[in-house]
Amino acid sequence: MMYSEKVMDHFMNPRNVGEIEDASGVGTVGNAKCGDIMKIFLKIEDGIVLDAKFKTFGCGAAVATSSMATELIKGKTIQEALEITNKAVMEALDGLPPVKVHCSCLAEEALHAALWDYAEKNGIVIEGLEKPVNDIGEHEEGYYEAE
Ligand code: FES
């Protein structure tokens, strides 16, 4: 079996699919190399992520990692949310095949983009958050090296 049971579960029954109408932050990130796009919506109040939803036009691993990433971020403070890296998402899913690692990077980057949007809308700076990219394809080599 190429995918873990958890990956299959989150792919077949993705959590948090949809939009948040009055989202505090929205992040959209794509990967031009595979053509996949992920959009994440966050509802943040008093520094806590109360809700997270996503829409993903992408492969099964992109759906599963968006699902897990939105599950992990709910209830977290903004600083804790920054610790939800692609590695943390992959660990929570019991791993991904190496060719699918970039899909989890899309999830991490979309979360960061949504947090960045929230920070911009509120005129705040989130320490440790770097400006996200629109297309992670540019960064792909770096991500693979990190593995
Ligand atoms: Fe591109 Fe999975 S193949 S996100």
Side-chain angles (χ1 to χ4, degrees):
M1 187 64 179
M2 190 178 169
Y3 291 111
S4 73
E5 270 175 41
K6 278 191 189 163
V7 173
M8 287 311 288
D9 177 34
H10 279 264
F11 170 57
M12 303 296 273
N13 311 291
R15 326 302 198 259
N16 314 310
V17 175
E19 300 183 20
I20 297 174
E21 253 178 45
D22 53 345
S24 320
V26 182
T28 306
V29 178
N31 183 339
K33 287 200 180 134
C34 62
D36 292 352
I37 299 170
M38 197 181 286
K39 189 167 186 178
I40 288 190
F41 304 78
L42 298 177
K43 175 94 185 150
I44 301 171
E45 254 170 52
D46 299 327
I48 308 283
V49 181
L50 295 184
D51 200 9
K53 292 209 184 297
F54 79 91
K55 282 187 156 178
T56 291
F57 306 93
C59 71
V63 171
T65 52
S66 323
S67 170
M68 183 54 90
T70 49
E71 281 290 272
L72 290 176
I73 202 171
K74 278 198 280 183
K76 298 281 197 296
T77 66
I78 291 172
Q79 278 307 317
E80 288 166 344
L82 289 182
E83 287 160 27
I84 304 173
T85 59
N86 77 298
K87 280 212 167 85
V89 173
M90 281 196 295
E91 269 169 34
L93 286 169
D94 293 336
L96 279 176
V99 295
K100 289 287 167 185
V101 169
H102 78 273
C103 317
S104 65
C105 298
L106 204 53
E108 175 185 324
E109 204 64 18
L111 283 185
H112 286 178
L115 289 169
W116 185 269
D117 181 47
Y118 164 75
E120 277 204 323
K121 281 183 177 143
N122 290 276
I124 59 170
V125 173
I126 298 175
E127 213 176 305
L129 179 64
E130 283 175 25
K131 194 173 180 4
V133 296
N134 294 321
D135 174 8
I136 69 157
E138 306 160 15
H139 276 350
E140 223 162 69
E141 313 314 320
Y143 279 121
Y144 282 124
E145 272 163 32
E147 278 315 296

